[in-house]
């Protein structure tokens, strides 16, 4: 185990009845590390002997322990993220989903998503995972501007992501997402608009658009600190968000969460579970889970993860029990980001009074008994949450 990663025994828990249950599987492998990324991922040089097959064996053990601990609730959604899940290839991803089915019952209409990087996909790959039972693919596009991809250390060619999306749809995927990032140093308005247009023209039913965040400890943060790159400007970020929203809305993709747009029926049900107080078990190194009122997280390094599971121990690094106040804070913070908004019944008297001020300021609108962010409110969603909670 790496320093600071000690096994922790979880308290008793049980999935709450009547609420969707999801599985998240974290794949910690990447060929290279993108300069802006602070996810729990490892390149071959950083793994020290860990490999995909050993990771799969450990994952099988965690899934078995999870099913026993939870009495195997029916799974509504599965999301395989990373890292770069597509590096596993179609056969291993099929094996992974087979392992899930061994230990959990999947709902008949279960949504099964895998993330993928465009450069590690091809038509046969999409055909294999579609045949295995995956129903949705999320591809990292980021941009079609070569200079933006270079700044982000992305290795795929500008047109590869859209081509991969078309290959996925040709293989039978009805639900395909493309991820975009805006606000990269050196990006222009036109760079962003061409990227959004390329996603629309690819014909996908879902587009995620995220502002670049300079995370501490990343190569990008070091370049900004040295003055090699300018930090993203808040006013520029707001303007780019408005440009993307207008273009996507005009093309028939409607926002349903602050950073996500879809065509009818294209919403990511797994992520909606995160935002709408669902429950999930996160399997894999560094994965986070939330069941009932308990949240926990696994040890980060794949070697430590595998060692604990080989000894029959859940690879939990830490946990917390959420009290009523913490659960309420999360409800407000997450649900206000959704187009359906937040029910007034979820707010106390003081919070309702603060909500009236936010409505008067044009950041929220009252839609029946619900509070919904206005266009301007979406730009200031974090500030709206802080004000509501006082």
């Amino acid at each position: 185990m790496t320093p600071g990663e000690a096994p922790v025994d979880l308290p008793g828990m049980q999935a709450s009845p009547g609420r969707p249950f999801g599985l998240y599987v974290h794949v910690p492998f990447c060929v290279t590390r993108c300069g802006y990324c602070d996810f729990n991922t490892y390149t071959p040089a950083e793994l020290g002997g860990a490999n995909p097959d050993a990771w799969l064996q450990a994952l099988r053990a965690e899934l078995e322990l999870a099913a026993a601990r939870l009495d195997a609730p029916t799974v509504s959604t599965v999301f395989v993220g990373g890292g770069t899940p597509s590096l596993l290839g179609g056969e291993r991803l099929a094996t992974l989903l087979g392992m899930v089915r061994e230990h959990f019952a999947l709902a008949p209409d279960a949504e099964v998503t895998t993330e993928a990087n465009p450069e590690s996909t091809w038509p046969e790959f999409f055909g294999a995972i579609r045949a295995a039972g995956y129903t949705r693919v999320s591809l990292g596009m980021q941009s079609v501007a070569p200079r933006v991809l270079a700044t982000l250390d992305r290795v795929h060619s500008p047109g590869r992501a859209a081509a991969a999306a078309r290959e996925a749809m040709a293989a039978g995927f009805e639900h395909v997402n493309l991820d975009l990032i805006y606000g990269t140093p050196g990006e222009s308005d036109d760079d962003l608009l061409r990227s959004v247009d390329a996603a629309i023209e690819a014909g996908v039913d879902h587009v995620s658009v995220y502002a670049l965040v300079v995370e501490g400890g990343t190569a990008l943060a070091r370049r900004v600190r040295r003055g090699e790159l300018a930090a993203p400007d808040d006013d520029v970020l707001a303007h780019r968000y408005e440009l993307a929203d207008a273009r996507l809305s005009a093309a028939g993709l409607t926002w349903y969460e602050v950073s996500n747009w879809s065509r009818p029926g294209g919403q990511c049900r797994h992520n909606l579970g995160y935002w709408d107080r669902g429950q999930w078990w996160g399997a894999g190194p560094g994965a986070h889970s939330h069941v009932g009122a308990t949240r926990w997280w696994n040890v980060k390094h794949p070697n430590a993860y595998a060692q604990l599971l080989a000894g029959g121990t859940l690879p939990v690094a830490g946990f917390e029990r959420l009290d009523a106040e913490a659960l309420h804070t999360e409800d407000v913070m997450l649900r206000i980001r959704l187009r359906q908004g937040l029910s007034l019944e979820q707010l106390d008297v003081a919070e309702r009074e603060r909500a009236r001020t936010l409505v008067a300021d044009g950041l929220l609108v009252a839609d029946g008994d619900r509070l919904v962010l206005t266009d301007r409110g979406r730009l200031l969603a974090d500030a709206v949450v802080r004000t509501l909670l006082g």
Side-chain angles (χ1 to χ4, degrees), residues 238 241-242 245 249 255 339 362-365 372-381:
Y241 180 90
E242 291 173 329
D245 179 50
S249 299
W255 80 276
R339 189 181 186 93
L363 299 176
L364 289 175
V365 62
V372 180
L373 291 169
T374 63
D375 290 347
R376 181 165 165 260
R378 278 190 279 160
L379 298 174
L380 299 168

Side-chain angles (χ1 to χ4, degrees), residues 171-386:
F173 281 95
E174 295 180 9
H175 303 300
V176 179
N177 170 63
L178 286 169
D179 277 348
L180 296 175
I181 289 178
Y182 64 93
T184 300
E187 177 193 63
S188 67
D189 288 355
D190 186 58
D191 289 333
L192 174 63
L193 289 174
R194 286 190 296 110
S195 300
V196 173
D197 287 344
I200 293 168
E201 291 162 8
V204 298
D205 69 338
H206 192 288
V207 179
S208 299
V209 186
Y210 301 108
L212 178 67
V213 177
V214 180
E215 300 285 2
T218 62
L220 180 63
R222 291 189 289 273
R223 295 183 69 188
V224 169
R225 188 171 61 248
R226 291 193 298 261
E228 297 173 16
L229 296 172
D233 178 87
D234 288 344
D235 290 337
V236 171
L237 292 176
H239 176 60
R240 298 264 163 82
Y241 180 90
E242 291 173 329
L243 289 177
D245 179 50
R247 202 71 135 214
L248 290 164
S249 299
L253 288 103
T254 303
W255 80 276
Y256 70 95
E257 191 275 340
V258 168
S259 298
N260 291 273
W261 289 255
S262 76
R263 300 190 187 281
Q267 297 154 318
C268 179
R269 287 165 46 203
H270 185 85
N271 286 343
L272 279 171
Y274 295 150
W275 298 316
D276 202 22
R277 289 243 359 238
Q279 304 172 99
W280 68 94
W281 187 291
H288 286 232
S289 305
H290 187 170
V291 177
T294 304
R295 178 191 289 132
W296 70 95
W297 46 95
N298 284 349
V299 297
K300 288 187 172 183
H301 199 280
N303 288 338
Y305 171 78
Q307 288 168 14
L308 288 169
L309 285 161
T313 301
L314 279 172
V316 177
F319 74 91
E320 59 182 332
R321 296 299 296 263
L322 303 177
D323 60 18
E325 182 180 355
L327 289 170
H328 174 71
T329 296
E330 291 208 348
D331 265 357
V332 173
M333 180 177 65
L334 296 173
R335 288 182 173 176
I336 199 65
R337 296 179 63 86
L338 296 170
R339 189 181 186 93
Q340 69 195 48
L342 180 70
S343 172
L344 279 168
E345 294 181 357
Q346 294 175 266
L347 302 180
D348 63 28
V349 174
E351 289 166 345
R352 292 186 190 190
E353 186 61 36
R354 290 192 287 269
R356 280 190 276 273
T357 300
L358 290 166
V359 170
D361 290 342
L363 299 176
L364 289 175
V365 62
D367 184 5
D369 67 343
R370 306 191 73 82
L371 295 169
V372 180
L373 291 169
T374 63
D375 290 347
R376 181 165 165 260
R378 278 190 279 160
L379 298 174
L380 299 168
D382 291 343
V384 168
V385 169
R386 289 193 297 271

Side-chain angles (χ1 to χ4, degrees), residues 48-67:
N51 63 73
D53 292 317
W55 168 83
L56 269 175
Q57 182 178 350
L59 178 68
R60 184 190 298 274
E62 185 180 2
L63 292 173
E64 182 177 358
L65 291 172

